[in-house]
Structures are given as C-alpha cells and as structure tokens.
Amino acid sequence: MTTSTPKRTPFYSAHLEANGKMVDFSGWELPINYGSQIEEHEAVRSDAGMFDVSHMVVTDIQGADAKAWLQKLLANDVAKLKSVGKALYSGMLNDNGGVIDDLIVYRMNEAETEYRIVSNAATRDKDLAQFSKVADDFEVTLTERPELAMIAVQGPNAIAKLKEAKPNWAETLDGLKPFVGADISQIEANADKGDWFVARTGYTGEDGVEVILHEDNACEFFALLQQHDIKPAGLGARDTLRMEAGMNLYGHDMDETISPYECGMAWTLALKDDRDFIGREALIEKRQQAKEAGTAMKQVGLLLESRGVLREGMEVIINAENQDTESQSGIITSGTFSPTLKQSIAIARIPADVSDEAIVQVDLRGKGKFVEVRVIKLPFVRNGQKQFA
C-alpha cells in the first residue's frame, strides 16, 4: 500500500529556518513546535505569536444567487452580514442535522454577490462536494484559491506588533472590529483583488488577526513578523490554546454524527424564520425526540483538580447519588494539560440535564479507579484570564 506525501504550505522553508519540527497534519507537513510548545503557548497568551494555517481551504463565491446559496447551505444566516467584511461562523450540516464542517464566511461586496469561505483542511473533499451539490440549483460560481497562504497573528500585542511591521495597515487594523475583515490588496504593491485580506478572527481566545496573502509573499512576510518579535508557534500550542478557549476541533468535538446542540454550537443556529437550510428539519425533529426520551446531550468543560491528564475518549460517569436519576455517562472529546491553568482540562459531551457545576468522575487509567472532575461552562481562559471561580 502506498502512502501519499504530505503537502507543504508556502511557509515550509520558513518553518525549517525557524527550526520547526514538522509532522503530518491532515495531509499537510506542518510544525508541531519550534522547540518549546509551552513557550509558544505562553507567548500567545502574554505577547504575540503566529501560526501557519495555510492548510485551511479558501473558496471565493460569486453570482447573483450567492447569498441565497449560502442561506440554503449553512445553518447560520448570512443575512446577518450587514456590511462588507463582516464574518459569520456557521456549521454546514448534512441531511440528518450532523456537522459536515464548521467554517467562516465573509461578505466581500456591497451587492451581496461575492463571499469568501474559509473551511477545514481535513474536510476539504466533502466540503467542496457539498458546495458543488447545493450550487446545482443556484446561479453561483465557486473558485478554490490554493495559491493563497494564511497566517494567524494572535496575542494581546499582536495587532500593535503587526502595525509596527506593516505601518501602511495601521488605519485598517485600527478600524477592524472583532469578526470583521478587509481586503487590503489595494495598499499592497502588485497585488490583485483578494490577494491580501486581514480579519480580526482567530482560534486562540486572544485578540489578533488572520491574514490571507498570496503564496509568493509568504516567506518574506513570515520573516518580517519574526523581525518584529512575533514568535512562531506550532500545532501543539494551537491545540492547547483553542482548548483553553473552549473551541471545537472538527473530527474530535464534532463530526457528521453530532448535532450543533451536542457540541456547543446551538448559538450558531438561525431558526427564528422559515429559511429552509439543509438539515433543519432533521435537526429540530431529533432535538425534540432526544428531549422527550431524556437522551439530549450538551458540551461542557471538565477540570481535573488532582494529578493526571484528561484524554480524548475517556468515559465520564455521572454518579446516581449526585443526580435524581440513574447513573449516566458521557465522553471526553478533547483533553490536555493547560499551560495557563497548570492543571488538566477537557471538553466533554455529557447528558444535558447534568448541572453545569456538577462533580463527575473519570477513569484516568482505564482500571476502574475513578477520580472526581469538576464540570464548568466553557471557556476556561479568554484574553489571558481564567473564566471560572
């Protein structure tokens, strides 16, 4: 059996020069760290760091039916995007109400005929297949942009340092509100429309931006950011940061068998009108059935206040004596040691009727010896600060 060679992003040589330890991630060769995952994590929490996220899929949408197509495709409603540059986080559901992917869509023009989607690398093929399938009924053109690179600059000092690195961006960056982006191609030399785009979004629970740029400019931009003391950070720090921030990782915290109600994405469901998006009917029906049967699940955070590390796949036991019901169980979908909190944390899916302040149990070593774990509302950390008492 042959194995495919991992793809490389436009930043590959920059990673090697920065001593990045490269690993295979969803078919891409990306740095797990550059020497110290903890230092990279702490740099983002206290100063500024950068992550290569060029493996993400950028798709540009054009056409008279672009808005209508997105309203059919996504569980959240792009009608909420009231101005150019606004971003929307949404699940894209299958016919059964499960999550095919979670993605961000940006409105790119006044006429609501141009949008940009950024979606996950691991789900690229099925995402593009779903895009194309739904597009058959609409006047819309979909263009994948593999020539574009993407880098996230994150941390409390990220924007200030980026302004020092790119003074000509200062006015744009000063005007960017959270979850808003701007095409800055017009202020970059020899750039075509859409080749440079900056958005105040991220996956770390810190302030910062994500920058889309042409692959030809990638390594030069990486070096410029390094010169302004923005620390390269790898996949390891990206995972601990997103977990502290209570953010889902596709294929772990949700997938096509999990509904938005079960993975903390209920807030993304736009259900107040009669818009007929894919998966709506099944989503509502299954939600009602789960409530009536007492099988509804929800997403929570778990905090281990003793020694040990919570890991994905561990069963969560809700003791009968803590609930007025029979003993129930859930599952850890992501688990790690939190560098900020200095203790183990997890994202878990547990029965919906369990209190958000309950004490539950986890078998850490699979030997039937259970330890107590505290249930909390997500996130654990936001903007460098602990979010629970």
Side-chain angles (χ1 to χ4, degrees):
M1 185 178 72
T2 59
T3 58
S4 58
T5 302
K7 292 178 279 189
R8 294 173 175 176
T9 79
F11 293 105
Y12 180 77
S13 62
H15 297 317
L16 297 184
E17 289 178 14
N19 298 313
K21 180 182 178 182
M22 310 304 285
V23 298
D24 186 343
F25 180 78
S26 297
W28 290 86
E29 203 165 355
L30 289 167
I32 188 71
N33 61 57
Y34 299 83
S36 173
Q37 176 180 328
I38 297 295
E39 289 180 6
E40 293 160 23
H41 178 108
E42 291 175 345
V44 174
R45 283 281 178 251
S46 63
D47 188 17
M50 59 177 168
F51 303 85
D52 179 5
V53 288
S54 302
H55 58 297
M56 303 290 279
V57 181
V58 178
T59 307
D60 284 343
I61 319 303
Q62 292 181 308
D65 291 342
K67 180 179 179 181
W69 173 73
L70 286 163
Q71 288 183 301
K72 180 69 174 181
L73 183 76
L74 303 179
N76 211 341
D77 191 355
V78 294
K80 296 177 181 178
L81 303 178
K82 300 299 184 184
S83 58
V84 175
K86 282 282 290 180
L88 184 79
Y89 175 71
S90 179
M92 177 172 66
L93 310 184
N94 59 26
D95 291 337
N96 293 320
V99 182
I100 295 175
D101 196 12
D102 64 328
L103 51 80
I104 293 179
V105 56
Y106 299 92
R107 177 176 167 181
M108 300 296 285
N109 71 349
E110 286 287 353
E112 298 180 289
T113 57
E114 296 180 7
Y115 294 84
R116 170 169 284 178
I117 291 175
V118 178
S119 53
N120 286 305
T123 54
R124 174 189 174 273
D125 291 346
K126 66 178 182 178
D127 284 0
L128 295 180
Q130 182 75 350
F131 291 174
S132 181
K133 176 183 174 182
V134 180
D136 285 344
D137 297 325
F138 296 88
E139 185 181 330
V140 63
T141 300
L142 315 177
T143 307
E144 188 181 357
R145 301 293 303 276
E147 76 280 12
L148 297 182
M150 188 171 177
I151 193 162
V153 185
Q154 302 281 295
N157 298 326
I159 290 178
K161 289 190 171 184
L162 185 55
K163 285 161 62 177
E164 291 174 0
K166 300 290 289 185
N168 58 324
W169 291 13
E171 184 177 351
T172 298
L173 292 171
D174 286 341
L176 275 188
K177 295 180 179 180
F179 248 66
V180 176
D183 188 341
I184 51 173
S185 304
Q186 70 278 7
I187 59 176
E188 287 297 315
N190 304 313
D192 292 328
K193 179 181 177 183
D195 278 2
W196 284 89
F197 185 83
V198 58
R200 200 165 174 185
T201 51
Y203 192 50
T204 63
E206 293 293 335
D207 197 6
V209 297
E210 293 174 305
V211 180
I212 293 173
L213 65 159
H214 196 278
E215 61 186 358
D216 293 346
N217 304 113
C219 288
E220 180 183 0
F221 189 62
F222 192 97
L224 178 66
L225 297 181
Q226 284 183 292
Q227 291 164 19
H228 287 81
D229 198 28
I230 297 174
K231 186 177 181 67
L235 293 166
R238 182 171 177 255
D239 194 53
T240 53
L241 288 159
R242 70 93 188 170
M243 278 200 58
E244 289 183 350
M247 295 179 175
N248 286 333
L249 177 60
Y250 191 86
H252 298 259
D253 305 298
M254 80 288 209
D255 57 34
E256 288 197 55
T257 69
I258 304 301
S259 87
Y261 289 110
E262 299 171 317
C263 61
M265 291 177 61
W267 66 274
T268 69
L269 300 172
L271 296 168
K272 291 184 178 179
D273 57 28
D274 295 327
R275 180 176 57 94
D276 181 27
F277 62 83
I278 292 172
R280 176 181 178 133
E281 186 175 331
L283 186 73
I284 295 172
E285 182 179 342
K286 287 186 176 182
R287 175 68 168 174
Q288 186 60 37
Q289 289 173 349
K291 283 184 175 181
E292 292 173 355
T295 59
M297 304 290 279
K298 67 178 179 180
Q299 186 182 75
V300 298
L302 299 181
L303 189 70
L304 178 62
E305 297 181 306
S306 58
R307 296 180 64 181
V309 180
L310 302 171
R311 299 293 187 192
E312 178 180 348
M314 289 179 175
E315 186 179 18
V316 181
I317 301 297
I318 294 88
N319 288 335
E321 60 263 35
N322 291 341
Q323 305 290 322
D324 295 327
T325 62
E326 294 181 3
S327 183
Q328 303 165 287
S329 67
I331 190 167
I332 290 177
T333 56
S334 291
T336 193
F337 180 82
S338 163
T340 302
L341 301 176
K342 304 295 189 290
Q343 59 194 116
S344 187
I345 61 173
I347 297 173
R349 193 161 53 249
I350 66 173
D353 59 0
V354 176
S355 166
D356 287 334
E357 298 177 354
I359 300 297
V360 297
Q361 293 185 320
V362 173
D363 183 359
L364 283 184
R365 294 172 180 82
K367 296 180 180 180
K369 294 184 179 180
F370 292 88
V371 298
E372 290 189 340
V373 180
R374 180 180 166 193
V375 175
I376 69 167
K377 288 185 177 181
L378 294 169
F380 299 98
V381 178
R382 187 59 55 91
N383 294 322
Q385 300 299 311
K386 184 172 75 170
Q387 297 296 295
F388 56 92

